[in-house]
Amino acid sequence: MIPAWGDWIRRADPRRRDLGLTLLVQLAVTMPFVVPRSADLPPVTWTSYGMTTLGVLPLIWRRRAPVAALVAIVLIGGVYKIGLDGPGQPLPYAGLIVFYTVALQCTARVRVATGLVSAAAVAVSVGWEAGTARELLFTLIVSAAAYALGRLQHTRQAYTEAVEARAAQLERANRIEAEQAAARERARIAREMHDILSHAVSIMIVQAEAGPVAVRRAPERAEAAFDAIAETGRDAMAQLRTMLGVLRTDRAHEEAAPRAPQPGIGALPALLERVRGSGLAVAYERTGSVRVLPAALEATVHRVVQEALTNVVKHAGASEAVVRLEYGPQALTVTVTDNGRGLGRGPRRGWGAGRRSGDSSGGHGLIGIRERAAAHGGTAEAGPAPGGLGFCVRVVLVTSPLEVGN
């Protein structure tokens, strides 16, 4: 119950809190007026009680004008002591609370000036009443305690604000990081969708265009072309189901969309066989120290070869292509060359007319290949094949972490 009341008080309007505090102090200073007094003391009067109440009212404005409120309380208290013979108070409640507020809110210069003036006022007040050094010391200690509490509260508030600001900054950073991660994931999915669909549709179009010719001239080849179309479509659907299944988070679709690893270097022979079905003769070579690579790197190799061959089928007008993997000690070089039109012999729309990977005008294929290479600390470039005939795509992927920082 107490924590609930504490939270309610903290959430309340500051003016209401000050009003409640003023009423509480008024209740405290009223006690000497209602308790029985000794017969040798003069009776209390409404004038003295009214002056006491007047000395409490400045608490209402303590947040907006702490120094003015303190001055008002000191002046009213002085008039009360000099001009009236009312009952005294155990503690100067209003003065201590406003002094605490000065320590909490005011600048160092104001605090020092207020402290010196207050100490002088306390000394004069105690001396006026012929008080003892013990009474003077007690009053100074109580005032110092109020000041110390104000400074401690100031430090606590500053710390709380710093923690809240830090939390807000971390929240913003986490939100930005989440947005960037989502953007990277969307880009990755877009690359995957482009690679899968572009390759499958290109092979299917080539096979479908060759189908009618094969039906008239070589019926046995027509059947193979239709089989290749069906196989390519089934493979694309399987890859799409796998990728979309990973995106589903509800358990209702987990079994309906089984997950499988992305195709890697081991799946290249099947990929090349499907491309060969389109009429393109594809050779496959591997040199160097052939070894198993991380799954993410192998998936990138597969997608790079897939996209490069897709562009050969779509744009090159080539009859032959060579896929070469060169395993180096710290890098893997993937090269796809063809004997097609090359530069200056026809449009190569998918590759930005042969521009290198640093240009921004290339098609989506080269952009995707460049992004995949960069993700592994590598590079991608496209241009004329050696000897000036055909076209060549060359991608270097870092396989050793030692070379990433070079």
Side-chain angles (χ1 to χ4, degrees), residues 333-348:
T333 302
V334 181
T335 306
V336 179
T337 57
D338 64 68
N339 64 347
R341 288 187 290 265
L343 298 178
R345 299 187 179 186
R348 307 256 329 173

Side-chain angles (χ1 to χ4, degrees), residues 130-216:
T132 63
R134 178 180 179 181
E135 182 179 353
L136 175 61
L137 182 61
F138 173 77
T139 306
L140 292 176
I141 290 175
V142 171
S143 301
Y147 181 89
L149 288 175
R151 296 312 300 162
L152 288 175
Q153 179 65 9
H154 178 272
T155 302
R156 178 178 175 275
Q157 289 181 356
Y159 174 77
T160 302
E161 292 175 359
V163 171
E164 291 176 350
R166 177 61 177 168
Q169 182 180 2
L170 289 176
E171 183 180 357
R172 288 193 298 270
N174 291 336
R175 185 174 63 253
I176 293 174
E177 183 178 357
E179 293 173 354
Q180 292 176 344
R184 290 193 296 268
E185 186 64 12
R186 286 194 296 269
R188 186 191 68 81
I189 294 173
R191 288 195 301 267
E192 295 291 333
M193 295 283 287
H194 173 272
D195 292 347
I196 294 172
L197 294 177
S198 177
H199 172 76
V201 172
S202 298
I203 298 299
M204 294 168 69
I205 289 175
V206 171
Q207 296 283 9
E209 290 176 344
V213 178
V215 168
R216 293 191 298 269

Side-chain angles (χ1 to χ4, degrees), residues 41-112:
L41 293 176
V44 296
T45 63
W46 284 106
T47 303
S48 61
Y49 183 70
M51 186 63 70
T52 301
T53 301
L54 188 62
V56 175
L57 287 179
L59 287 176
I60 298 176
W61 299 279
R62 68 183 184 94
R63 296 178 189 270
R64 283 166 284 180
V67 176
L70 181 60
V71 171
I73 291 173
V74 171
L75 292 177
I76 294 172
V79 172
Y80 183 85
K81 288 182 178 296
I82 295 173
L84 298 173
D85 190 15
Q89 300 292 333
L91 285 173
Y93 303 106
L96 291 175
I97 292 174
V98 176
F99 196 50
Y100 159 87
T101 307
V102 170
L104 174 63
Q105 297 185 186
C106 296
T107 62
R109 179 178 300 179
V110 174
R111 294 198 308 269
V112 170

Side-chain angles (χ1 to χ4, degrees), residues 276-289:
R276 293 186 185 106
S278 67
L280 179 68
V282 184
Y284 181 38
E285 302 175 0
R286 293 197 293 179
T287 62
S289 178

Side-chain angles (χ1 to χ4, degrees), residues 198-199 202-203 206 272 275-276 278-282 304-323 335-342 347-351 365 369 383 390-393:
S198 177
H199 172 76
S202 298
I203 298 299
V206 171
L272 302 185
V275 175
R276 293 186 185 106
S278 67
L280 179 68
V282 184
V304 166
V305 173
Q306 182 184 61
E307 179 59 31
L309 291 177
T310 299
N311 279 276
V312 171
V313 172
K314 291 170 60 177
H315 305 302
S319 60
E320 297 178 357
V322 178
V323 176
T335 306
V336 179
T337 57
D338 64 68
N339 64 347
R341 288 187 290 265
R348 307 256 329 173
R349 293 182 299 275
W351 298 97
I369 289 178
F391 203 70
C392 175
V393 177

